[in-house]
Amino acid sequence: MAETTQHADTERAGEPGTGQRKSPPRPRGQLAKREGRAAYFFLAPWFVGIGLITIGPILGSLYLSFTDYSLLSSPEWIGLDNFQRMLEDERLHNSLRVTFTYVFVSVPLQLALALALAFFLDKGVRGLSLYRSVYYLPSLLGSSVAIAILWRQIFGTEGLVNQLLALVGIQGQGWVSHPDHALSTLVVLNVWTFGSPMVIFLAGLRQIPTMYYEAADVDGANGFTKFWRITIPLLTPIIFFNLVLQIIGAFQTFTQAFIVSGGSGGPADSTLFYTLYIYQRGFGSFEMGYASALAWFLLVVIAGFTAVNFWAAKRWVHYGD
């Protein structure tokens, strides 16, 4: 009995009974330090990448925005001259007008169409997965070069649109080659990429409890009242999320305007988006300093719109708290 008690005491002391002692447990502080060093080791490529690929170029462009730099000579410090030049640049002002028109027209239309289709699909349509995939596909391809080329062909003088109009006796025109209609074709292209916000709207609609609609039915509310009084208020966080993302994306539109206009922003600068003008100044005229100043101004504009959206959200977005 005494030997059994001694053996148990030995096991509890960490001795397996072979006469050899186990090494003492490592202090928790040392283990945490080792895990921390391992984490930093595996995160090192990310830190190097964000420093060299993201933060470095951002700081470099900030410096170049105060210089006269043509890629062929060393940057020359000129202070605020690039920003003063922006005040007198007529093409810059036109590019701002085109971009603001594009944002203010295409984003509301895109969100309205996305919400309408999401509301329709939320009613239990058969083959929902298929419809969701088909509608989401344009969001993946809409900003690609291939779709921009296809769009130029569809709205060209001999394109599909004019062929369809000819069937009903209407003489079409070159939609992308006419200054009054070229921007409209790009607005239609952006509205067509409604799939991404539609999927998010659909997920938001699925989260609205049905008890609110049941209570509204008891009170005799019609479909529009339920949509306006229940669906829209409970969906405002999703609407706000999509609105912020789509505005930021619309301000950065480049590929469609570049392909459709052949990089010129034509006809008559009607598709001269702000990002396309930055490209022309930087890689067409080799005015990298001025292009950097334009890029920073765009950043300020997008940040300003985002800040205003967050400020206004306090008055119309309901988070249920």
Side-chain angles (χ1 to χ4, degrees):
M1 182 65 180
E3 291 180 356
T4 303
T5 304
Q6 183 178 5
H7 180 72
D9 292 341
T10 303
E11 292 290 342
R12 284 195 295 270
E15 297 179 1
T18 58
Q20 296 179 353
R21 281 182 171 274
K22 279 186 175 179
S23 59
R26 192 180 301 277
R28 186 175 297 275
Q30 292 184 7
L31 181 61
K33 289 180 179 178
R34 286 194 59 184
E35 292 178 347
R37 286 195 293 267
Y40 284 122
F41 174 77
F42 287 107
L43 287 173
W46 183 85
F47 284 119
V48 172
I50 194 173
L52 296 179
I53 299 175
T54 304
I55 297 177
I58 288 176
L59 297 178
S61 69
L62 179 61
Y63 167 73
L64 291 177
S65 67
F66 296 100
T67 66
D68 181 11
Y69 181 45
S70 64
L71 282 177
L72 303 177
S73 60
S74 300
E76 180 182 353
W77 183 267
I78 57 174
L80 296 175
D81 287 359
N82 284 329
F83 296 95
Q84 293 177 349
R85 176 185 170 186
M86 293 166 60
L87 299 176
E88 303 173 352
D89 191 339
E90 294 296 334
R91 291 199 76 201
L92 166 63
H93 301 163
N94 181 68
S95 69
L96 285 173
R97 181 187 62 79
V98 171
T99 304
F100 279 119
T101 302
Y102 177 79
V103 172
F104 290 144
V105 174
S106 68
V107 171
L109 290 177
Q110 183 194 52
L111 294 183
L113 180 60
L115 178 59
L117 282 175
F119 190 75
F120 171 73
L121 294 178
D122 188 50
K123 298 301 180 183
V125 177
R126 296 182 63 182
L128 175 61
S129 300
L130 175 63
Y131 285 115
R132 191 166 50 195
S133 301
V134 169
Y135 288 144
Y136 185 73
L137 193 58
S139 295
L140 300 176
L141 304 176
S143 60
S144 65
V145 174
I147 292 298
I149 294 175
L150 177 64
W151 215 254
R152 187 176 59 187
Q153 298 300 322
I154 290 176
F155 287 94
T157 305
E158 304 295 333
L160 178 62
V161 173
N162 284 342
Q163 293 180 14
L164 293 176
L165 291 176
L167 294 177
V168 293
I170 298 177
Q171 179 66 37
Q173 55 183 319
W175 300 95
V176 296
S177 59
H178 196 289
D180 294 337
H181 306 296
L183 182 59
S184 301
T185 62
L186 296 181
V187 169
V188 173
L189 174 56
N190 190 49
V191 174
W192 179 62
T193 60
F194 60 85
S196 177
M198 185 208 69
V199 171
I200 299 175
F201 277 138
L202 187 58
L205 289 171
R206 293 297 176 90
Q207 299 302 317
I208 297 177
T210 58
M211 62 180 181
Y212 296 123
Y213 297 108
E214 295 170 354
D217 289 334
V218 172
D219 292 339
N222 57 30
F224 177 78
T225 300
K226 288 187 288 185
F227 177 77
W228 188 252
R229 298 290 185 183
I230 298 175
T231 304
I232 292 297
L234 294 179
L235 206 61
T236 50
I238 306 299
I239 296 174
F240 173 68
F241 177 78
N242 276 329
L243 179 66
V244 171
L245 287 187
Q246 297 307 318
I247 286 179
I248 294 175
F251 270 114
Q252 297 174 326
T253 300
F254 171 79
T255 304
Q256 299 91 324
F258 181 85
I259 297 299
V260 169
S261 68
S264 65
D269 285 347
S270 59
T271 59
L272 184 64
F273 282 48
Y274 192 87
T275 52
L276 181 57
Y277 187 60
I278 293 176
Y279 173 83
Q280 290 182 351
R281 294 273 68 85
F283 296 96
S285 304
F286 297 106
E287 297 175 305
M288 281 297 174
Y290 188 50
S292 298
L294 293 174
W296 274 93
F297 180 69
L298 177 61
L299 173 64
V300 172
V301 170
I302 293 176
F305 266 87
T306 305
V308 169
N309 275 328
F310 273 90
W311 173 77
K314 300 175 183 177
R315 288 165 171 75
W316 66 273
V317 178
H318 309 285
Y319 289 102
D321 55 351

